[in-house]
Amino acid sequence: MIKFEDVEVVYPNGFRGLSGINLEIHQGEFVAIIGLSGAGKSTLIRAVNGLVPYTHGTLSVGETVVDPKNKSKLRKLRSKVGMIFQQFNNVGRITVLNNVLIGRSAFTPTWRSLIGWYGHQDKEVAFQSLERVGIVEKAYNRAAALSGGQQQRVAIARVLAQDPEVILADEPVASLDPPTARKVLGDLRTIQRDLGITCVVNMHHLDLARDYADRIIGMRDGKVVFDGPTAEATDSVIAEVYQREVSAGDQLAPEAEVSSKEPG
Amino acid sequence: MSHGHKVASALVGAVLLAAGAFLLTYSPAANASDVFSRMMWGTALAAGAVTVALAVYGLAYAGTGRQRAAERRRLAASHGRQGYAPDRLDLRPIRPAKFWWNMALIMLGVLFVSSAAGTGMTLSALLEMPARVWDFSGQMIGGVAQIPDEDVRGDWSSAFDAMLESVAIAWIGTLVGALFSLPCGILAARNLTPLGTYIPMRFILSVIRAVPEIVFAVAIFIPLLGVGPAERGGAMAGAFALGISSIGTLSKLISESIEGVDQGPLEASRASGATHMQMIRWAVLPQVLPEVLAIWLYRFEVNIRASAILGALGAGGIGRLISPPNGLFGQRPYDWEAIGITLFVIIAVTMAVDQISGFVRHRVIHGKTVRRRTRKQAEAAPPPEPPRAVAL
Amino acid sequence: MSAALSERPVTEPRPEPGTDRPSPPKPALAPYLGLVLLAAAAASFFIWNWEGQAVLFLPLGDTVLWAPRDPLLGLGAMMLILVLCWRLRVSPMGAFGGLAIVVITYWAGSNIHFIDRIAEVPRRLTGGNTRDQLVGYFNPDWSYLLFQNVAGTSRPIWGEWLITLCMAVVATIIGCFIGLLLAMLASPVSSLNTGTSQTVKAINSVVRSIPDVGWALLFAAFLGGTAYGLGALAAVLALIMFNIGIVAKLLGESIDAIHPGPLEAADAAGATLVQRDRVAVLPAVMPSFISYSLYVFELNIRASAALGVVGVAGIGGELSRQIGRMSQGYENVGAILWALVLVVLMVDLLSLWIRRRLL
Ligand SMILES: Nc1ncnc2c1ncn2[C@@H]1O[C@H](COP(=O)(O)OP(=O)(O)OP(=O)(O)O)[C@@H](O)[C@H]1O
Ligand SMILES: [Mg+2]
């Protein structure tokens, strides 16, 4: 589904964010990416939908090759690839429904979104996505007036409204408390199973990754240092990724501290 | 009120507005003032158009009435009965009507039409404008671009003189404003001042802000200091008018930034037994000074532009040079070359001053080194404050 | 000076009294001597120029750059600020700033004849028509404002107020919308590319640097006169330009400062640039846009009172006619000015109310 062939990212300031990435992520997989802060997790995920242009190699999603230069092709690709952010990135001052409708942008003519006149079908899709994440009763509330977990669900609904083939999530639960984090990840997991969507998720919390992912990819210094099914990601392997012993602080019990590392 | 009722009452309101405005076109006021009668005609027309639109919408809405009634019956019947399984659609919230918001927008539209009618603009004149614009700007550009002979040199130097006079007026005005605004700002800051001084101070400041600069200039300073070019006192009048009205806005902004200071040092110095003055000097001023300087510089930029208006009323500076009766636009045919040169000087000097003051402002706020913010830092930092409108 | 102030600790440490307390570092002497030399050079320039005028020869023409009055006063002020900075242990850079402020102030003050004019105030107050003028302004003739017509026409004065308000409304609505579009184009966040954003910014700063009186004069000339309908059109066009400048600048800065996250989300959803600006940028700046629009409306009323000199319609025209009548018009000018204060105050209250309701 997503194929990295010798992909490299060099940032404009000359910093090498990714080097020599070779990966293949299959249809319907739930992949967790772990690694220390600055390892290049966000870079990897953002390269997939072209938010960070890659500079070498080929990166393809499905049949299409990601081409950061060709804006209209990139838009078409992005309409199939949804993205969820750590900070939710909802527009706070408009309603939840309108936030979800942002996900329909690629399917709406520009003039219609200009006057805010979305079609019946689009609204139906938006409502159904809200129903799937269970906050349909907040549809006409302002997005800023929701709690963090609810906001992240709005973001998931926005992505669902795109009818995506792939969902990218950049630390979707890092700013949520542990029980809410588990609920949101659970939602994501269910949706992924039901709809057969490929999910690539960045995570800081090992135990969450182990509980929810099919496959774990470990990164360090812009390179993939571990790639295997969850069962193979034993403590020693993880210690190798983090280059230190896995301590209790890396585990996230529901009632434990939110995060012992700096948030991304 | 249901949606239907709202539409109906809006419709009635629009009809009443149209009828009232129409009747007012026969009132004595409309006889006396053509502006008023045009406004009323405009209102009547716009309200009529709104009436038609609302009527069409209302009919369309009424057309769905049977469907809505059936739905209501279904819901009412199922309520309280055993085994009522709500439809999925029943769980969706009803879209809140933005009735007042829509009414406000409609009223804004009506107001626009009626004001546009009221001004009595001869819009057809716009058709002839492009040709003149082309012609005159050609002459202006020609004036700026030509190699200066004796005459043109005179134009350049009088433009420069007048513009430098404007800068001087703005500088003195800002300085007067700055000198008074710091104490006034402190007295108008809630966290430093007892209520007894705070309230009168705020009141005085808002009175000053409500008085336009030209009122200060025309009513007070031109009689006191003179009118016309600098040596006759017009420039001083302009400077003081700008200074007084600067006090109003500057003090308000300064008091706001003082109210926003970090309370820690304040409490520390209070705890260590500092007097009120000491606390202001050592705990408040160091925190707000960069921002206060930036506010002053903003005001300087604003004052340069404002001085042009005052000049038009006889208070010195560039406004005096261009405005009738004695200025460049005073007698026909206009000397477009001189006008072009003057405008060029105005633009160049204003932009240069903006650049310099922007540089100093940046330097004062951010210090010598300018760090380039990476994406990471930009995300981590809270979004910067929006610019201050009132400073202008 | 700010640097020096913030360097000092807020609460000074208290070591044993008497012994080696760290005193704030003295600034270096050499730069200060340089500053003194600079001041002396400037002063000798003033004195050399005492009677004459320093003229700056540009290739284009010459301009009076410097017309020093009372050079000894300037020298004294410069020395005073240097001594003060030295005593307060201000860094040389800060002292240079202080010196620069003194020199500019001296220049500006002598350019507008500060001391001469101040000295003349008492004489003016006691004699001449200044008294009459002030008395006239503070005894406004309200019946003129309410019941009389503009001289030589059948238009009542209150109609001129209406037309002023109408012009302000029309100009605010059109100007703010164009300003919104330009702000979108001017901010690199929402613009097509950096080229467009730079160009629009440059155009906007040109638009902003021509004062509104200048615009009104230009448009009056472009329209071919200030006859009744033309004058109103010229004033509205001038106010529109004035508003575009302000709104595009302020709103452009607000757009620069919005949170980038939602924009990225819209991008990631495959939105086009226009869609992104509509759904993510516009709602974020809507409160600022509304409050700038209200603010601009107030500015328009103030400005249109001044635009009258140009001969355009509205109360401004009447104001400058009455000012031109000199001693016959003082009470009338007073009435117009007081009414202006009242109208501005009312608009202020109205916009405060709207802001409360909306934001
Ligand atoms: N726009 C940029 N320009 C230059 N370098 C960048 C940019 N964005 C990220 N980097 C650098 O790329 C490296 C990888 O960053 P990335 O954001 O992918 O890390 P991450 O693994 O997501 O870390 P975290 O867990 O903290 O989110 C970091 O060293 C970072 O400094
Ligand atoms: Mg990251």
Side-chain angles (χ1 to χ4, degrees), chain A residues 41-43 86 170-171 202 264, chain B residues 375-376:
Chain A
K41 306 185 294 292
S42 301
T43 312
Q86 178 184 346
D170 194 356
E171 298 179 19
N202 273 354
Chain B
R375 186 177 61 80
K376 269 260 155 74

Side-chain angles (χ1 to χ4, degrees), chain A residues 46 78 89 93 105 108 113-114, chain C residues 261 264 267-268 275 278 283 287:
Chain A
R46 287 163 167 268
R78 282 172 178 172
N89 288 356
R93 297 189 50 84
S105 292
T108 315
S113 28
L114 208 55
Chain C
E264 228 167 31
D267 266 345
Q275 284 175 327
R278 169 66 180 78

Side-chain angles (χ1 to χ4, degrees), chain A residues 9-18 33-46 52 86 170-171 202-204 219 221-222 261-264, chain B residues 372-376 379:
Chain A
V9 169
V10 179
Y11 278 110
N13 62 1
F15 186 84
R16 186 176 287 270
L18 289 182
I33 301 179
I34 58 170
L36 282 178
S37 192
K41 306 185 294 292
S42 301
T43 312
L44 183 85
I45 269 201
R46 287 163 167 268
V52 169
Q86 178 184 346
D170 194 356
E171 298 179 19
N202 273 354
M203 275 196 231
H204 266 312
M219 294 193 67
D221 297 337
K261 290 188 292 285
E262 318 137 77
Chain B
R372 276 189 57 196
R373 305 203 323 166
T374 61
R375 186 177 61 80
K376 269 260 155 74
E379 271 173 9

Side-chain angles (χ1 to χ4, degrees), chain C residues 59-75:
Chain C
L60 299 167
D62 24 289
T63 177
V64 180
L65 192 63
W66 198 270
R69 258 158 267 280
D70 310 306
L72 293 179
L73 210 67
L75 179 65

